[in-house]
Amino acid sequence: MTFLLPLLLVSLASTGIEIALTRYFAVASWSEYGYWVISIVMAGFALSGVATALLRSWLERHSVKLFAFLPGLLILSAALGYAAAIRNPFNPLQLQNPVTIAPQILYIGLYYLELLPFFFLTGLFISLCFVSAPTRTTRVYAFDLCGAGLGALIVLGLMAVLHPFKLIPALLLPLAAMAFFVPRDAHRLGAIITAGLCLIAGETLLIAGDVADYNQFKPIYAPLHTPNARIRQQILSPRGVYSLLDDFTERVDTDLSNDSAMMHLPGPPRTLGLYRDGSRIAAIPRPGKLDVGYAPGTLAAAPYELLSHPRVLAIGDEGGWAAAQAQALGAGSILADEPEPVLRAALQPQDSVTVSGESPLALVSDAPSGRFDLIELSDNFLGADPADATAFTSGAIALYLHALSDQGMVSIPVSIRDFPVYALRMMATIRAGLLQAGIADPGAHVIVYRSAWNVRLLIAKSPFDSARIKTLRKFCDDRSFDVSFFPGIDVASLRDDIYNDLPAISFSKGEVESGGQADDSIADEAVAVMNGQPTDSAREFDLRPATLDRPMFFDILRLDHLGTILKRLEILPQQELGPLINIAVLAQAFVVALIVLLLPLAAPRRIGRARAPIGRALLYFPALGLGYLFIEIALIGEASLYLDDVTTAFALVLSGMLIFSGLGSMAANRMRLRFAWLVILALLILTLVALPAIMLATIGWPMPLRLLVLLILLAPLSLALGQPFPMGLGEAGKTGAGFLPWAWALNGAFSVIATPLANLIATELGFRWLILAALLLYGVAWLSFPKTADAQPAA
């Protein structure tokens, strides 16, 4: 099988290009739009399987020429597709405007036309490999998966040295290398010359015609184009493109009292702005200039009025500001935790401040009871890294309480610039965390106070008494902050003393509900939320607590109210669009799957329908396509919590599963498949029951040991997962018709469905439901193994 090394190279390149395209969307647009890339990839694979099934005889007759000249076509289609995609004028913000939505939908369609040809040709090459060796499907699948796993590792390594906009030109090289492995016949020289010319043309097009840039709506765009603005430093990393921006608009990220001048406090100093993928994640102090004289006028200062020289855990040090503020406000000792490595590298040394780079959950889970008097999350910690959302879950709240002294507190910030309802979501989460910690009356342990733009929620290990409440209210009055909730609050009595008007907005009606006087919509709902009985107005949103299994903090839209959501698109924050994009991609995926499913009816002779177990195949291959992706996405989510790093989790789980599955495929046979089914189901049950406990028990271990734990969990499951699909294809290949490529197309079509569906399930129900669904799907696959008429009894 002389095509095995080219197969490994094309799988390597296509996976690398897939990841590179998702990185392009993350930098130029938003990461949520990378879901389209996954949809396009799997649609291309599925449609290539359909084409191979319909045209198998012709393709087999010309397979030698196709294997020789497909490398050149792959290079051209990749280069032309990317060159067209970076010129596509798509603007996500205009999707939220009814006047401008129509052309944006057209531009989305253009992305498919631009990028689909490459992945269609990739799928055609892979499916040709399968039909050329129908009795060696396990070996073919092994090279396919191992190539994909290596591609994921290589592109992640390239991100440390190349900007995401430069990745695809580098990934054209393995496509060109395919030509050197064409068999020694009349076509090899032509293949090498064609691939070489296509490579030169493609590289010239992408390098000389590079117009990729940040879109105008990205947060970095405006400050980058202010007078005298400059990028002081740029850091390339798999975690993102970090830009340290120097311009006159950058200020420390804090919400100061309107009365700061009367308190004789300085304003926020000029800073440097740190951006990742064009989104601002922190203000960085200028070298030697940690001026925090403004600290007493911030929301974060309140706990220091209630605690004397507290032992502080500052989660998210924001380049040094959090620890410096804590020192200025009277902290006794400070442990500054900064998991984000670039922010940690920017910290300026401070006396009596200890710095940690651990996960917050690892720190508090290992801390003895009573270790801290104050655990304070910084203003921008939630936006510094996607993995940081786990610090805002009910499980995290319970761990914080364990690490507090008897009079200790947790201070949690929430921005209400976009939606005040985020404060209510945090209150519901805090209530769940307090109940989880064994506190029967959560409302007695919480105070909520705010400015016009931000909220702080204080959680006390012991109930707030009247003296502490009085001190906190005076602190807020002195700074024109509003108290939205405290134990025993009488909301009606506060109406005349509201400093920052926050009127209620009906999401269903799309209008402000105001009685003509200042209002506090958070206070209006807070008592009901803390009692676990939200009002009808609050129930317009999904206020279920964020948990370690379902940590998506910003997903508060109720998808069962989709009609209302679509009417209010123009007011939705960017972070709420992810589920809607998933729904759109899912709808597209169902169209692709329908086309593939209808093939047996449209061309029964082409797929050998008389001999093929059509009914079993319609269950078996879709179940495998859905189940494998469900497991992958669930494990990436769980590993992100465990490692406190989405990028490392993605790299380890994706490449590990692909490579181990490839090795499992290499060893697959009928006897081993019987054992593989048992291993898959047993390990999925173990994962479902024990994985959260294992991760929480070992989350404080050093990173190398945690990586080893993950590999131990991944390896046996992935080895077993690599066997059912190629064995099923082997059965399909016995018909001698187009059944094998159609089965390949079925798996690809339902893999298109799997990604958006898995993300929706994880958002709505949690990662454990994905594992449960995968367990059921692999059970269905076991029972529906597609035995052909002349096959031996199936496993």
Side-chain angles (χ1 to χ4, degrees):
M1 292 188 290
T2 56
F3 52 74
L4 286 180
L5 284 176
L7 171 63
L8 185 141
L9 288 171
V10 77
S11 295
L12 182 156
S14 64
T15 301
I17 288 173
E18 176 184 353
I19 296 172
L21 286 169
T22 62
R23 290 293 300 127
Y24 165 77
F25 276 101
V27 177
S29 180
W30 301 110
S31 59
E32 290 87 351
Y33 296 92
Y35 293 136
W36 284 336
V37 176
I38 299 170
S39 174
I40 294 169
V41 172
M42 301 314 298
F45 284 8
L47 294 175
S48 70
V50 172
T52 306
L54 294 173
L55 303 172
R56 176 169 179 170
S57 298
W58 184 88
L59 291 171
E60 285 185 311
R61 287 198 304 273
H62 297 86
S63 62
V64 175
K65 291 181 181 179
L66 287 170
F67 281 131
F69 295 104
L70 269 174
L73 292 175
L74 286 165
I75 293 169
L76 279 182
S77 61
L80 290 170
Y82 182 61
I86 62 178
R87 290 166 172 81
N88 191 320
F90 171 68
N91 184 339
L93 292 188
Q94 292 185 359
L95 280 173
Q96 296 176 255
N97 187 335
V99 177
T100 58
I101 191 172
Q104 298 308 314
I105 293 174
L106 174 62
Y107 296 143
I108 293 170
L110 282 178
Y111 277 130
Y112 278 79
L113 291 176
E114 293 156 357
L115 299 175
L116 188 66
F118 170 74
F119 294 107
F120 175 83
L121 291 173
T122 299
L124 188 66
F125 188 96
I126 296 171
S127 58
L128 264 177
C129 293
F130 278 116
V131 299
S132 297
T135 61
R136 304 292 297 276
T137 54
T138 57
R139 191 169 179 82
V140 174
Y141 191 55
F143 273 76
D144 178 24
L145 289 186
C146 288
L150 289 173
L153 288 177
I154 288 171
V155 77
L156 286 165
L158 286 175
M159 288 180 198
V161 294
L162 292 178
H163 192 283
F165 296 163
K166 308 294 184 184
L167 288 172
I168 288 181
L171 292 166
L172 298 183
L173 296 175
L175 294 174
M178 293 168 59
F180 289 92
F181 297 97
V182 171
R184 292 181 180 275
D185 58 20
H187 297 300
R188 171 179 275 193
L189 181 60
I192 293 173
I193 293 173
T194 301
L197 291 174
C198 291
L199 180 65
I200 293 170
E203 297 287 7
T204 302
L205 174 65
L206 295 184
I207 295 172
D210 184 11
V211 297
D213 197 3
Y214 297 109
N215 204 304
Q216 293 184 7
F217 60 82
K218 294 288 280 193
I220 197 174
Y221 190 88
L224 189 60
H225 291 80
T226 59
N228 302 316
R230 62 192 178 97
I231 294 179
R232 283 200 175 193
Q233 185 180 7
Q234 189 169 80
I235 299 172
L236 301 176
S237 162
R239 298 173 73 105
V241 177
Y242 294 84
S243 302
L244 191 61
L245 188 60
D246 187 354
D247 73 287
F248 73 86
T249 71
E250 306 291 347
R251 293 290 187 277
V252 67
D253 302 320
T254 191
D255 195 357
L256 290 179
S257 163
N258 295 330
D259 301 331
S260 290
M262 290 187 293
M263 297 173 67
H264 306 291
L265 299 176
R270 279 192 61 186
T271 69
L272 305 174
L274 183 64
Y275 294 77
R276 184 180 60 232
D277 291 347
S279 296
R280 195 171 191 266
I281 62 172
I284 299 295
R286 292 172 179 271
K289 295 182 179 179
L290 262 172
D291 181 7
V292 292
Y294 59 85
T298 65
L299 290 167
Y304 298 90
E305 298 285 317
L306 305 174
L307 299 167
S308 177
H309 302 294
R311 297 165 294 165
V312 177
L313 170 59
I315 297 176
D317 201 17
E318 298 187 329
W321 295 113
Q325 289 177 38
Q327 279 188 323
L329 293 169
S333 64
I334 304 168
L335 173 57
D337 181 37
E338 184 50 79
E340 170 40 79
V342 174
L343 280 172
R344 188 166 65 252
L347 295 179
Q348 299 185 23
Q350 301 171 63
D351 295 336
S352 72
V353 176
T354 304
V355 178
S356 169
E358 288 291 329
S359 154
L361 285 109
L363 280 177
V364 293
S365 64
D366 278 356
S369 180
R371 167 70 176 83
F372 303 105
D373 302 311
L374 175 62
I375 297 176
E376 182 177 21
L377 280 69
S378 66
D379 289 331
N380 292 292
F381 185 66
L382 185 58
D385 190 273
D388 293 338
T390 56
F392 294 77
T393 60
S394 58
I397 302 297
L399 290 172
Y400 298 153
L401 290 168
H402 171 78
L404 286 179
S405 61
D406 288 342
Q407 297 301 310
M409 299 180 190
V410 184
S411 177
I412 298 180
V414 175
S415 172
I416 55 173
R417 287 178 180 270
D418 295 318
F419 267 9
V421 74
Y422 290 136
L424 302 182
R425 175 74 177 276
M426 193 68 240
M427 292 180 72
T429 300
I430 289 170
R431 179 179 184 275
L434 287 164
L435 290 172
Q436 186 175 332
I439 293 173
D441 183 13
H445 297 255
V446 178
I447 291 180
V448 181
Y449 61 104
R450 66 175 183 85
S451 66
W453 307 112
N454 296 284
V455 168
R456 275 270 167 180
L457 302 100
L458 293 186
I459 313 163
K461 191 168 186 177
S462 300
F464 281 107
D465 56 28
S466 58
R468 280 185 158 190
I469 294 171
K470 182 178 179 181
T471 300
L472 192 282
R473 294 186 67 182
K474 183 179 185 305
F475 168 88
C476 291
D477 284 336
D478 291 343
R479 292 160 179 78
S480 297
F481 294 146
D482 294 293
V483 183
S484 297
F485 178 83
F486 58 83
I489 186 173
D490 179 4
V491 177
S493 67
L494 300 179
R495 295 290 185 192
D496 296 331
D497 299 317
I498 293 175
Y499 299 104
N500 304 281
D501 188 25
L502 189 64
I505 300 176
S506 171
F507 188 69
S508 59
K509 297 177 182 177
E511 60 186 31
V512 175
E513 296 182 340
S514 177
Q517 63 180 19
D519 198 4
D520 186 338
S521 60
I522 294 175
D524 293 340
E525 304 286 350
V527 174
V529 171
M530 289 308 301
N531 287 333
Q533 298 176 331
T535 66
D536 290 341
S537 178
R539 281 197 292 267
E540 291 180 349
F541 300 95
D542 183 357
L543 297 186
R544 289 176 298 163
T547 66
L548 293 175
D549 186 56
R550 196 175 60 89
M552 299 76 171
F553 181 81
F554 288 111
D555 294 319
I556 60 168
L557 299 180
R558 292 186 55 175
L559 297 182
D560 56 336
H561 294 179
L562 188 58
T564 300
I565 294 171
L566 295 177
K567 291 177 183 177
R568 305 286 173 256
L569 277 177
E570 69 277 4
I571 65 172
L572 293 181
Q574 172 267 325
Q575 58 262 32
E576 293 295 336
L577 297 179
L580 300 181
I581 297 166
N582 271 300
I583 290 173
V585 173
L586 186 60
Q588 298 164 355
F590 272 115
V591 173
V592 173
L594 188 62
I595 293 172
V596 175
L597 285 170
L598 291 177
L599 180 63
L601 300 177
R605 294 181 182 176
R606 297 281 185 175
I607 65 167
R609 187 175 173 185
R611 300 176 59 203
I614 298 295
R616 286 177 170 270
L618 286 172
L619 290 174
Y620 186 79
F621 293 104
L624 294 182
L626 290 168
Y628 193 93
L629 267 294
F630 280 10
I631 295 169
E632 187 177 276
I633 290 171
L635 291 180
I636 289 173
E638 297 282 9
S640 298
L641 158 66
Y642 189 52
L643 303 178
D644 197 43
D645 181 354
V646 173
T647 302
T648 303
F650 176 83
L652 183 70
V653 173
L654 177 64
S655 58
M657 284 189 67
L658 289 171
I659 291 172
F660 282 123
S661 295
L663 295 176
S665 175
M666 190 82 72
N669 61 41
R670 191 58 78 80
M671 291 301 297
R672 291 193 182 100
L673 181 58
R674 291 191 178 95
F675 179 68
W677 289 122
L678 294 174
V679 171
I680 291 169
L681 299 183
L683 288 179
L684 286 177
I685 292 171
L686 178 64
T687 300
L688 186 65
V689 173
L691 184 62
I694 292 171
M695 288 188 168
L696 283 178
T698 59
I699 198 170
W701 289 9
M703 178 65 85
L705 287 180
R706 280 181 282 156
L707 292 172
L708 181 60
V709 169
L710 273 179
L711 284 175
I712 291 172
L713 292 170
L714 276 177
L717 177 60
S718 301
L719 285 166
L721 289 174
Q723 300 192 31
F725 180 64
M727 291 299 295
L729 286 184
E731 291 296 314
K734 293 177 181 178
T735 64
F739 187 45
L740 189 155
W742 177 69
W744 155 263
L746 268 180
N747 183 267
F750 280 84
S751 295
V752 181
I753 291 174
T755 300
L757 184 58
N759 280 294
L760 287 170
I761 292 172
T763 299
E764 292 296 305
L765 301 173
F767 296 123
R768 296 188 70 194
W769 280 90
L770 283 176
I771 299 296
L772 178 60
L775 177 63
L776 296 175
L777 286 164
Y778 272 92
V780 169
W782 189 359
L783 296 175
S784 60
F785 186 80
K787 301 183 293 290
T788 51
D790 58 346
Q792 298 297 319

